[in-house]
Amino acid sequence: MSSIIETIKAKVDIADEVGTVVALAKSGKSLKGLCPFHNERSPSFYVFKDTQSWHCFGCNEGGDIFTFVQKQQNLDFHEALTYLAEKADISLEELGGERTEEEREIGAAKERLRKLNEDALLWFHQMLLRSREGSEARAYVQSRGITSDSVVAFSLGYAGEQWEGLTRYLQGQSYSEQELVTAGLARWRESEDLGGERRGAYDYFRNRLIFPIRDIRGRVIGFGGRALGENKPKYLNTPQTVLFDKGSILYGMDMAKDAIKQIGQVVIVEGYVDAVIAQQYGTKQTVACCGSAITEKHIQQLKKLTKQVTLALDPDAAGTAATEQGIKEALKGFDKTYVPVPL
């Protein structure tokens, strides 16, 4: 393990990794910038290239490239190790014996779930692009002004009206019904006549425009579905899974993070379509809540990228309440908060 860690440190320069988040300037033999972990106006965050380490003299945090990645991206050690190994082009197969059996099982389950979500995304996306029954969804996309380039960039999809369309497809890809239910892509069909006995699974999303939801690294962790026709609720998200927690996820973050860092501001909108349209027309620093109010977890993520937030929520009762909640959370961690005033 230690040899691989040292190899990664030798191949991935800490200044390059920190520089993707912090604007660094030369200061003697070191580099300095504003700390990404607490609010400050004068730089007290230093990167030392000779020791491949970092330290903030303001909040007294510090460490190596692994501790920086863990803290900045909210990862555990093995997640940070995997992330940095990918950057260093190093295989981690030999690490199998270093992890406990439980850790290996959890890691394998998460990877299987990510692969399942990716396969579901491909099915949804092709349904929107090519299926005959996806015509209503394509018409809706066009009516909202979403371009074909955005459809591809955001991998938008369509869930048909069939009860088992996705379920049958994924079972054909060697996934079990239990895996589909665990991933939030299917539900159990229960028979009241047989005392609630399970009688197979059926699709969780039906007749909906599908928005794949990704983590900050771009990995698919869940889906949001916008109802077409009279389906209720209007928006339906993947239920809680080991990968998906709607109270901590911001839609579009994977595509917005670079712009947020460069511009020094994030715009939070209320819906998936709003985020897609905003990014499509150049406001690349836009993200959306996944059907929940702005939470402390959201703010903790954003604090690592910017000190300013703009709330651009709907000017209705729900939007006003969400704005008030957002102000309370944002004021805890941001220097400035912009609040839209409906005309």
Side-chain angles (χ1 to χ4, degrees):
M1 173 79 80
S2 60
S3 62
I4 291 180
I5 291 174
E6 293 307 315
T7 301
I8 289 174
K9 287 182 178 180
K11 287 193 171 187
V12 184
D13 188 85
I14 189 170
D16 293 337
E17 180 62 32
V18 174
T20 64
V21 179
V22 180
L24 296 172
K26 196 166 183 179
S27 177
K29 293 183 179 180
S30 59
L31 300 167
K32 68 177 180 179
L34 295 173
C35 181
F37 306 125
H38 80 283
N39 295 330
E40 63 177 9
R41 290 183 172 81
S42 298
S44 59
F45 180 91
Y46 285 78
V47 174
F48 307 100
K49 289 177 67 68
D50 55 344
T51 60
Q52 288 293 293
S53 62
W54 63 276
H55 186 83
C56 177
F57 293 92
C59 61
N60 204 32
E61 294 280 353
D64 60 12
I65 191 170
F66 285 88
T67 55
F68 180 81
V69 168
Q70 284 181 260
K71 187 172 179 63
Q72 195 273 320
Q73 297 192 33
N74 193 29
L75 304 177
D76 62 30
F77 174 75
H78 284 292
E79 289 173 330
L81 182 64
T82 300
Y83 168 78
L84 289 170
E86 289 175 359
K87 279 202 162 188
D89 195 25
I90 294 175
S91 171
L92 294 180
E93 291 181 1
E94 59 192 274
L95 283 180
E98 300 285 348
R99 303 176 69 178
T100 67
E101 182 177 352
E102 181 180 5
E103 287 174 332
R104 290 196 298 273
E105 289 178 353
I106 293 173
K110 286 184 176 181
E111 285 305 312
R112 176 73 171 176
L113 183 52
R114 291 189 185 101
K115 179 62 168 59
L116 174 53
N117 282 335
E118 290 284 355
D119 287 341
L121 178 151
L122 292 175
W123 187 84
F124 286 135
H125 192 51
Q126 292 305 310
M127 285 289 290
L128 178 63
L129 295 181
R130 295 184 170 84
S131 72
R132 181 179 299 176
E133 60 181 303
S135 60
E136 181 183 358
R138 290 191 290 273
Y140 175 79
V141 167
Q142 187 174 18
S143 73
R144 294 301 302 267
I146 300 174
T147 66
S148 57
D149 286 344
S150 291
V151 168
V152 173
F154 287 87
S155 302
L156 303 188
Y158 171 66
E161 293 188 84
Q162 298 181 36
W163 284 82
E164 300 171 359
L166 177 63
T167 298
R168 286 196 299 268
Y169 169 77
L170 291 173
Q171 284 184 290
Q173 303 299 308
S174 300
Y175 295 103
S176 68
E177 288 183 322
Q178 181 60 62
E179 286 181 304
L180 303 187
V181 173
T182 299
L185 292 167
R187 289 172 169 169
W188 290 116
R189 180 182 287 109
E190 298 181 353
S191 172
E192 296 182 3
D193 295 337
L194 298 177
E197 180 181 343
R198 294 172 177 173
R199 301 190 62 184
Y202 64 94
D203 292 357
Y204 182 73
F205 296 101
R206 297 187 310 282
N207 196 29
R208 291 177 180 273
L209 181 64
I210 298 296
F211 298 83
I213 302 171
R214 302 176 185 272
D215 63 17
I216 196 169
R217 293 173 58 186
R219 300 174 298 183
V220 182
I221 57 174
F223 300 90
R226 201 279 185 192
L228 299 172
E230 300 301 319
N231 286 1
K232 299 292 182 181
K234 183 177 180 181
Y235 283 96
L236 182 67
N237 292 313
T238 294
Q240 184 91 13
T241 72
V242 295
L243 298 180
F244 183 75
D245 172 19
K246 72 177 183 179
S248 63
I249 298 298
L250 289 165
Y251 176 73
M253 177 63 84
D254 59 308
M255 299 181 70
K257 64 180 186 295
D258 291 339
I260 293 171
K261 288 185 288 188
Q262 292 169 6
I263 298 170
Q265 176 208 39
V266 63
V267 177
I268 303 178
V269 296
E270 196 164 323
Y272 302 122
V273 173
D274 296 335
V276 172
I277 292 292
Q279 290 202 24
Q280 175 179 296
Y281 286 102
T283 311
K284 301 293 187 180
Q285 72 273 31
T286 304
V287 298
C289 297
C290 295
S292 67
I294 297 169
T295 67
E296 181 180 356
K297 291 180 180 179
H298 292 145
I299 298 302
Q300 291 304 316
Q301 289 183 59
L302 294 171
K303 282 175 64 176
K304 300 171 184 178
L305 302 175
T306 181
K307 300 295 189 294
Q308 296 185 29
V309 60
T310 295
L311 301 180
L313 308 179
D314 294 348
D316 54 18
T320 298
T323 297
E324 292 175 352
Q325 174 64 27
I327 292 171
K328 292 178 182 178
E329 295 295 341
L331 286 176
K332 297 175 184 177
F334 290 95
D335 293 331
K336 298 178 181 179
T337 301
Y338 297 92
V339 182
V341 179
L343 298 177

